[in-house]
Amino acid sequence: MQGHRVPLLLAAAIVALVAGATALAAKPNDAPVVIEAGNLKVTVDGGFVPRALPRSTPAPISLFLSGKVETTDGTHPSALKTVELESDKHVAIDVRGLPVCEPSGLQPAGSEQFVPECRDSRVGRGQAQVEINFVEQLIPVKSELVVFNGGFEDGVTTLLVHAFIPIPTPTAIVTTVKIKKIHKGRFGLHAVATVPKIAGGSGSITSFSLKINPRVFTATCPDGHLNARGTAVFSDEARVQARIGRPCRPKG
C-alpha cells in the first residue's frame, strides 16, 4: 500500500453535473459554481483548510463540499450513474495504517451499525437529500453520508460512500470510487465513481454537504490554485462536463 493522489472536490463533481443536457462550467475562485441547462439549476461549492500551504512539502487539509440541484418546474431529475474525474496533481491521499472497510460491512440498515473495521476506517461525514419518484409522488428523503477507506490493491485506491435510504424499502446505498494514477499535465489522477440505483432507479440525489477529515489528505500549493474536471453520465445517457478550481496561498 502506498500514498495516492485523490480527486479534489470529488463529491462536488458528483452532483455538480446537470442531467438532460451538456454544459461546461469553470470557476477558479471562491464563488460557487452554477450550471444552468434547460429547466435545471445546479449550484456547487467547496473548499479546504488551511488555505496557506507549502509550495513543495505536503501538509494535511480538510475538505468541505456541498451541492444542490433544482428544477424550475418541479420535475424529477435523472439519476446519476457514473462520474469520471481528473484531479489536481498537488492533492494526495495516503491510507497506509488505516483499517480497511469491506462493502459487506456496510449492508446493515442503520448508519451507525457498521462492523468495527468500518467504524475505524471512516474518513468523512455529511448529509444528502434524495428525491424519490414513488407512485406519482416526489418524496424527499434525507440521509447521513459516511466515507470509508476501502483499501489499496493493484494500483487502485478504493473509497466507499455510504447512505441509508428508508423508502420504499430500507436499503444501504454504497457508492464505490476507484482511483488510479495518470500523467496528464495538470492532472495526476483518474477516478471513477459508480452510483448504484436508488429505490429501484426512482431516486435521484438533489443535494449534499460533506466534510473530509485531514488524517489522510495532504496538499501543496506551488502556483496558487487547485483544480479538478469531470464528466457525469445519467440514467437517460446524458453526458455533462464541469470544472472547478479553488485558490490557495503558497508559503515557504
Side-chain angles (χ1 to χ4, degrees), residues 43-119:
T43 304
V44 177
D45 204 356
F48 52 89
V49 290
R51 287 295 185 92
L53 295 167
R55 294 179 183 274
S56 59
T57 302
I61 60 170
S62 294
L63 300 181
F64 302 88
L65 319 166
S66 64
K68 184 177 182 181
V69 179
E70 302 171 279
T71 61
T72 58
D73 60 3
T75 56
H76 182 65
S78 299
L80 182 65
K81 290 171 57 180
T82 61
V83 173
E84 292 191 38
L85 191 72
E86 292 179 344
S87 73
D88 199 295
K89 63 184 180 180
H90 298 115
V91 178
I93 186 173
D94 187 348
V95 297
R96 288 177 296 184
L98 286 179
V100 175
C101 179
E102 299 293 338
S104 59
L106 300 177
Q107 295 310 309
S111 62
E112 296 298 332
Q113 298 176 18
F114 308 125
V115 299
E117 290 80 4
C118 289
R119 287 197 297 269

Side-chain angles (χ1 to χ4, degrees), residues 130-135 137-143 164-173 197-204:
V130 173
E131 184 178 86
I132 298 177
N133 190 1
F134 183 63
V135 193
Q137 292 184 348
L138 299 180
I139 303 174
V141 178
K142 290 184 178 180
S143 172
F164 170 63
I165 306 299
I167 298 174
T169 302
T171 306
I173 304 296
K197 289 184 178 180
I198 301 173
S202 63
S204 297

Side-chain angles (χ1 to χ4, degrees), residues 9 36 65 69 81 98 121 127 179 187 198 216 221 223 225 227:
L9 306 180
E36 295 190 30
L65 319 166
V69 179
K81 290 171 57 180
L98 286 179
S121 70
Q127 299 286 330
I179 307 163
F187 303 99
I198 301 173
V216 293
C221 181
D223 55 9
H225 59 95
N227 304 320

